[in-house]
Amino acid sequence: MSITKDQIIEAVAEMSVMQVVELIEAMEEKFGVSAAAAVAVAGDAGAGAAEEQTEFDVILTGAGANKVAVIKAVRGATGLGLKEAKGLVESAPAAVKEQLSKGEAEALQKELEEAGASVELK
């Protein structure tokens, strides 16, 4: 009879912390390996892989022809006052918002582009 990975995971999930520690020690002894070495090797392999970006900055690259609409859109998105929003739009390229999720950044990008602005995500 063969045990599946899911069955092993379920069995480990039901164990106490002390039982898991004992299991790890027994596996290290049985196979002549160290769990710390396996984690270090896995960590090195993961560091080389490209990580998916999770936070985005919305950068206003240009105001376009309808600067008033872009200023209004920036005010609505950021809560800035009229003077600050106008300064941000006129100082393009400038970050409108930073560290947004992908969905939030794309929604803001669409809103600003509909107002006539040139926008990019970084």
Side-chain angles (χ1 to χ4, degrees):
M1 180 169 125
S2 177
I3 299 175
T4 67
K5 287 186 278 184
D6 292 333
Q7 290 171 325
I8 293 171
I9 291 171
E10 275 302 312
V12 171
E14 294 175 7
M15 293 179 163
S16 70
V17 174
M18 288 305 297
Q19 290 172 323
V20 172
V21 170
E22 291 171 359
L23 174 65
I24 291 170
E25 290 172 354
M27 290 174 68
E28 287 176 338
E29 186 177 316
K30 168 81 176 176
F31 299 111
V33 296
S34 169
V39 170
V41 170
D44 290 344
E51 292 184 23
E52 184 177 338
Q53 186 174 350
T54 58
E55 292 184 341
F56 295 85
D57 297 342
V58 179
I59 309 296
L60 178 72
T61 57
N66 194 356
K67 189 158 70 168
V68 174
V70 175
I71 292 170
K72 287 181 181 180
V74 168
R75 285 188 70 199
T78 62
L80 292 174
L82 179 60
K83 183 177 180 180
E84 292 83 6
K86 182 177 184 248
L88 188 143
V89 170
E90 290 176 344
S91 68
V96 178
K97 277 194 156 183
E98 297 177 333
Q99 299 179 344
L100 297 175
S101 70
K102 185 174 184 176
E104 292 173 324
E106 288 174 344
L108 180 55
Q109 179 183 23
K110 181 180 178 185
E111 180 182 335
L112 291 171
E113 286 175 345
E114 287 174 353
S118 301
V119 181
E120 66 179 41
L121 301 180
K122 289 190 178 190

